[in-house]
Amino acid sequence: MNIRDLEYLDALGKFLNFKKAAQYCNVAQPTLSIQIGKLEHYLGCFLLERTTRRVNFTPLGLQILEHSKIILKEIEEIKKIAQQSTNNNVKIFHVGISDSLPEYFISYITEAVLSRDPSINLNLTIDKSEVLFSQLESMSLNLLIVSSTKCPDNFISASLINFPVSHQMAILKANNEQPTSILGSYSEIKSKICFRNGDKNMDNYLHIGNLINESIDALSKKNHIA
Protein backbone atom coordinates (compact mmCIF):
# COMPACT_ATOMS: atom_id res chain seq x y z
CA MET A 1 0.00 0.00 0.00
CA ASN A 2 1.31 3.44 -0.91
CA ILE A 3 0.14 7.04 -1.18
CA ARG A 4 -0.81 6.64 -4.83
CA ASP A 5 -3.19 3.79 -3.97
CA LEU A 6 -4.97 6.08 -1.50
CA GLU A 7 -5.19 8.78 -4.18
CA TYR A 8 -6.82 6.29 -6.55
CA LEU A 9 -9.29 5.33 -3.83
CA ASP A 10 -10.04 8.98 -3.11
CA ALA A 11 -10.69 9.64 -6.82
CA LEU A 12 -13.13 6.73 -6.93
CA GLY A 13 -14.86 8.24 -3.92
CA LYS A 14 -15.25 11.52 -5.84
CA PHE A 15 -16.54 10.09 -9.14
CA LEU A 16 -17.82 6.57 -8.35
CA ASN A 17 -16.62 5.69 -11.83
CA PHE A 18 -13.37 3.99 -12.88
CA LYS A 19 -13.02 5.86 -16.17
CA LYS A 20 -13.50 9.32 -14.65
CA ALA A 21 -11.29 8.45 -11.66
CA ALA A 22 -8.52 7.28 -13.99
CA GLN A 23 -8.75 10.47 -16.04
CA TYR A 24 -8.61 12.54 -12.85
CA CYS A 25 -5.47 10.67 -11.74
CA ASN A 26 -3.99 10.86 -15.24
CA VAL A 27 -3.55 7.08 -15.55
CA ALA A 28 -5.05 4.39 -17.75
CA GLN A 29 -8.25 2.85 -16.44
CA PRO A 30 -6.75 -0.69 -16.23
CA THR A 31 -3.87 0.67 -14.14
CA LEU A 32 -6.23 2.20 -11.60
CA SER A 33 -8.40 -0.91 -11.52
CA ILE A 34 -5.41 -3.20 -10.99
CA GLN A 35 -4.01 -1.05 -8.16
CA ILE A 36 -7.36 -0.95 -6.37
CA GLY A 37 -7.50 -4.74 -6.68
CA LYS A 38 -4.01 -4.98 -5.17
CA LEU A 39 -5.07 -2.68 -2.34
CA GLU A 40 -8.06 -4.92 -1.59
CA HIS A 41 -5.78 -7.96 -1.61
CA TYR A 42 -3.33 -6.21 0.73
CA LEU A 43 -6.09 -5.23 3.16
CA GLY A 44 -7.83 -8.59 2.86
CA CYS A 45 -11.29 -7.15 2.21
CA PHE A 46 -13.51 -5.82 -0.56
CA LEU A 47 -13.68 -2.05 -0.77
CA LEU A 48 -15.97 -1.77 -3.77
CA GLU A 49 -19.09 -3.31 -5.28
CA ARG A 50 -18.50 -3.20 -9.03
CA THR A 51 -21.34 -2.89 -11.54
CA THR A 52 -21.32 -2.12 -15.27
CA ARG A 53 -22.42 1.47 -14.75
CA ARG A 54 -21.35 2.53 -11.31
CA VAL A 55 -18.96 1.85 -8.45
CA ASN A 56 -20.38 1.51 -4.98
CA PHE A 57 -18.31 1.32 -1.81
CA THR A 58 -18.90 -1.46 0.68
CA PRO A 59 -19.60 -0.33 4.28
CA LEU A 60 -16.02 -1.23 5.18
CA GLY A 61 -14.79 0.51 2.05
CA LEU A 62 -16.52 3.72 3.13
CA GLN A 63 -14.76 3.61 6.49
CA ILE A 64 -11.38 3.08 4.86
CA LEU A 65 -12.13 5.84 2.35
CA GLU A 66 -12.71 8.33 5.18
CA HIS A 67 -9.44 7.37 6.84
CA SER A 68 -7.58 7.63 3.52
CA LYS A 69 -8.90 11.19 3.10
CA ILE A 70 -7.51 12.11 6.51
CA ILE A 71 -4.14 10.57 5.62
CA LEU A 72 -3.98 12.41 2.29
CA LYS A 73 -4.87 15.69 4.01
CA GLU A 74 -2.09 15.20 6.54
CA ILE A 75 0.35 14.37 3.76
CA GLU A 76 -0.51 17.68 2.09
CA GLU A 77 0.17 19.49 5.36
CA ILE A 78 3.54 17.75 5.62
CA LYS A 79 4.37 18.85 2.08
CA LYS A 80 3.42 22.44 2.91
CA ILE A 81 5.64 22.46 5.99
CA ALA A 82 8.54 20.96 4.08
CA GLN A 83 8.05 23.39 1.21
CA GLN A 84 7.91 26.36 3.53
CA SER A 85 11.10 25.23 5.23
CA THR A 86 12.82 24.77 1.88
CA ASN A 87 11.64 28.07 0.45
CA ASN A 88 12.30 30.21 3.47
CA ASN A 89 15.15 28.25 5.06
CA VAL A 90 13.16 28.24 8.29
CA LYS A 91 14.94 26.84 11.34
CA ILE A 92 12.59 25.40 13.97
CA PHE A 93 13.82 25.24 17.57
CA HIS A 94 11.98 23.83 20.58
CA VAL A 95 12.55 26.35 23.35
CA GLY A 96 11.65 25.93 27.01
CA ILE A 97 10.92 29.09 28.99
CA SER A 98 10.72 29.24 32.77
CA ASP A 99 7.26 30.03 34.13
CA SER A 100 8.92 32.33 36.67
CA LEU A 101 9.45 34.85 33.88
CA PRO A 102 6.55 37.30 33.28
CA GLU A 103 4.31 36.73 30.27
CA TYR A 104 5.06 40.16 28.82
CA PHE A 105 8.79 39.40 28.92
CA ILE A 106 8.26 36.05 27.18
CA SER A 107 6.18 37.78 24.50
CA TYR A 108 8.81 40.47 24.06
CA ILE A 109 11.81 38.17 23.59
CA THR A 110 10.00 35.79 21.22
CA GLU A 111 8.76 38.69 19.08
CA ALA A 112 12.25 40.19 19.17
CA VAL A 113 13.77 37.00 17.73
CA LEU A 114 11.14 36.61 15.01
CA SER A 115 11.25 40.25 13.94
CA ARG A 116 15.04 40.32 13.74
CA ASP A 117 15.44 36.94 12.02
CA PRO A 118 12.30 35.59 10.28
CA SER A 119 14.17 32.40 9.37
CA ILE A 120 13.90 31.27 13.00
CA ASN A 121 10.71 29.65 14.30
CA LEU A 122 10.42 29.13 18.06
CA ASN A 123 8.20 26.33 19.35
CA LEU A 124 7.65 27.28 23.00
CA THR A 125 7.15 25.19 26.14
CA ILE A 126 6.54 27.11 29.37
CA ASP A 127 7.07 25.18 32.60
CA LYS A 128 9.01 25.05 35.85
CA SER A 129 12.79 25.24 35.47
CA GLU A 130 13.44 21.77 36.89
CA VAL A 131 11.01 20.24 34.39
CA LEU A 132 12.63 22.14 31.52
CA PHE A 133 16.14 21.05 32.51
CA SER A 134 14.96 17.44 32.47
CA GLN A 135 13.46 17.89 28.99
CA LEU A 136 16.65 19.58 27.78
CA GLU A 137 18.66 16.63 29.10
CA SER A 138 16.38 14.16 27.28
CA MET A 139 16.73 16.25 24.06
CA SER A 140 13.00 17.05 24.00
CA LEU A 141 14.01 20.73 23.98
CA ASN A 142 16.84 22.47 22.15
CA LEU A 143 17.27 25.56 24.28
CA LEU A 144 16.08 27.05 27.57
CA ILE A 145 15.46 30.63 28.60
CA VAL A 146 15.35 30.75 32.40
CA SER A 147 15.69 33.27 35.20
CA SER A 148 18.89 33.61 37.20
CA THR A 149 18.66 29.93 38.22
CA LYS A 150 22.04 28.21 37.95
CA CYS A 151 22.25 25.83 35.00
CA PRO A 152 23.51 22.29 35.78
CA ASP A 153 27.21 21.69 35.09
CA ASN A 154 26.52 19.59 31.97
CA PHE A 155 24.85 22.57 30.26
CA ILE A 156 26.29 25.76 28.82
CA SER A 157 24.71 29.07 29.80
CA ALA A 158 24.99 32.63 28.57
CA SER A 159 23.46 35.60 30.35
CA LEU A 160 21.03 37.92 28.63
CA ILE A 161 20.95 41.66 29.12
CA ASN A 162 18.70 42.67 32.02
CA PHE A 163 15.25 43.73 30.91
CA PRO A 164 14.74 47.40 31.93
CA VAL A 165 12.30 48.38 34.67
CA SER A 166 10.97 51.32 32.69
CA HIS A 167 9.67 49.11 29.88
CA GLN A 168 8.10 46.71 32.36
CA MET A 169 6.20 49.55 33.94
CA ALA A 170 5.08 50.87 30.55
CA ILE A 171 3.66 47.46 29.59
CA LEU A 172 1.90 46.98 32.93
CA LYS A 173 0.43 50.48 32.83
CA ALA A 174 -0.88 49.93 29.30
CA ASN A 175 -2.56 46.71 30.46
CA ASN A 176 -3.85 48.26 33.71
CA GLU A 177 -1.89 45.69 35.69
CA GLN A 178 0.19 45.81 38.84
CA PRO A 179 3.70 44.29 38.89
CA THR A 180 3.46 40.77 40.35
CA SER A 181 6.64 39.09 39.10
CA ILE A 182 8.28 36.86 41.69
CA LEU A 183 11.56 38.28 40.42
CA GLY A 184 10.74 41.57 42.13
CA SER A 185 8.07 44.14 41.52
CA TYR A 186 10.41 46.91 40.43
CA SER A 187 13.62 45.09 39.56
CA GLU A 188 15.23 44.39 36.22
CA ILE A 189 14.50 40.95 34.84
CA LYS A 190 17.60 38.78 34.83
CA SER A 191 17.62 35.77 32.52
CA LYS A 192 19.94 33.46 30.62
CA ILE A 193 19.93 30.86 27.88
CA CYS A 194 20.99 27.26 28.55
CA PHE A 195 21.76 24.46 26.12
CA ARG A 196 23.54 21.09 25.97
CA ASN A 197 27.30 21.12 25.75
CA GLY A 198 28.43 19.89 22.34
CA ASP A 199 25.07 20.45 20.64
CA LYS A 200 25.55 20.89 16.88
CA ASN A 201 23.24 23.93 16.95
CA MET A 202 25.22 25.84 19.57
CA ASP A 203 25.94 28.68 17.12
CA ASN A 204 22.22 29.04 16.40
CA TYR A 205 21.41 29.19 20.13
CA LEU A 206 24.03 31.88 20.68
CA HIS A 207 22.60 33.72 17.67
CA ILE A 208 19.14 33.64 19.31
CA GLY A 209 20.67 34.99 22.52
CA ASN A 210 22.39 37.77 20.57
CA LEU A 211 19.10 38.72 18.87
CA ILE A 212 17.43 39.05 22.27
CA ASN A 213 20.36 41.07 23.65
CA GLU A 214 20.38 43.39 20.64
CA SER A 215 16.68 44.07 21.09
CA ILE A 216 16.90 44.70 24.83
CA ASP A 217 19.98 46.86 24.37
CA ALA A 218 18.20 48.98 21.77
CA LEU A 219 15.20 49.27 24.08
CA SER A 220 17.41 50.32 27.01
CA LYS A 221 19.13 53.01 24.94
CA LYS A 222 15.78 54.29 23.69
CA ASN A 223 14.43 54.53 27.25
CA HIS A 224 17.65 56.22 28.41
CA ILE A 225 17.36 58.87 25.68
CA ALA A 226 13.69 59.39 26.51
Side-chain angles (χ1 to χ4, degrees):
M1 182 171 64
N2 55 50
I3 296 172
R4 193 59 171 157
D5 293 339
L6 298 182
E7 290 174 343
Y8 292 154
L9 191 66
D10 185 54
L12 279 172
K14 286 184 173 77
F15 300 103
L16 298 177
N17 181 283
F18 273 97
K19 183 178 180 180
K20 292 180 179 179
Q23 291 174 342
Y24 180 79
C25 295
N26 198 29
V27 296
Q29 182 175 333
T31 299
L32 187 142
S33 181
I34 290 170
Q35 288 305 121
I36 292 296
K38 288 182 178 180
L39 180 60
E40 290 179 317
H41 179 74
Y42 175 83
L43 295 174
C45 63
F46 289 109
L47 304 176
L48 307 171
E49 295 174 352
R50 298 164 175 82
T51 67
T52 56
R53 294 184 178 181
R54 182 181 174 87
V55 173
N56 292 318
F57 278 79
T58 64
L60 186 57
L62 286 174
Q63 293 182 47
I64 293 174
L65 175 63
E66 290 305 311
H67 283 284
S68 70
K69 288 179 179 179
I70 294 172
I71 293 171
L72 291 173
K73 184 178 179 181
E74 290 300 317
I75 289 171
E76 286 303 312
E77 289 300 317
I78 290 172
K79 289 180 180 178
K80 288 179 183 178
I81 293 171
Q83 188 65 36
Q84 181 182 16
S85 178
T86 301
N87 290 344
N88 301 327
N89 196 27
V90 174
K91 300 173 184 176
I92 301 175
F93 297 106
H94 298 276
V95 179
I97 300 184
S98 173
D99 62 2
S100 64
L101 295 170
E103 289 185 12
Y104 57 80
F105 176 69
I106 295 173
S107 297
Y108 177 84
I109 60 176
T110 52
E111 289 174 7
V113 171
L114 295 177
S115 63
R116 288 175 176 266
D117 190 343
S119 71
I120 293 178
N121 191 339
L122 304 182
N123 191 334
L124 303 182
T125 296
I126 301 175
D127 211 326
K128 297 184 182 302
S129 295
E130 56 268 26
V131 174
L132 297 178
F133 282 127
S134 176
Q135 292 179 346
L136 183 62
E137 178 71 32
S138 67
M139 302 180 72
S140 298
L141 296 173
N142 302 117
L143 172 72
L144 301 187
I145 299 176
V146 296
S147 58
S148 53
T149 305
K150 183 180 182 298
C151 290
D153 293 335
N154 54 328
F155 297 137
I156 294 177
S157 65
S159 296
L160 299 174
I161 295 176
N162 294 350
F163 195 66
V165 174
S166 56
H167 196 64
Q168 295 179 58
M169 296 303 104
I171 295 173
L172 293 171
K173 184 178 180 180
N175 295 334
N176 294 318
E177 298 177 8
Q178 293 298 319
T180 57
S181 169
I182 65 172
L183 299 175
S185 297
Y186 291 93
S187 63
E188 294 182 322
I189 298 175
K190 298 180 180 181
S191 60
K192 63 176 66 174
I193 59 172
C194 294
F195 48 88
R196 293 182 300 275
N197 189 10
D199 193 307
K200 64 180 182 180
N201 285 308
M202 288 173 57
D203 288 345
N204 287 314
Y205 306 152
L206 292 172
H207 174 57
I208 291 172
N210 287 335
L211 293 175
I212 295 172
N213 279 340
E214 288 172 4
S215 182
I216 295 177
D217 184 51
L219 180 65
S220 299
K221 290 178 179 177
K222 179 180 178 181
N223 289 336
H224 180 72
I225 293 174

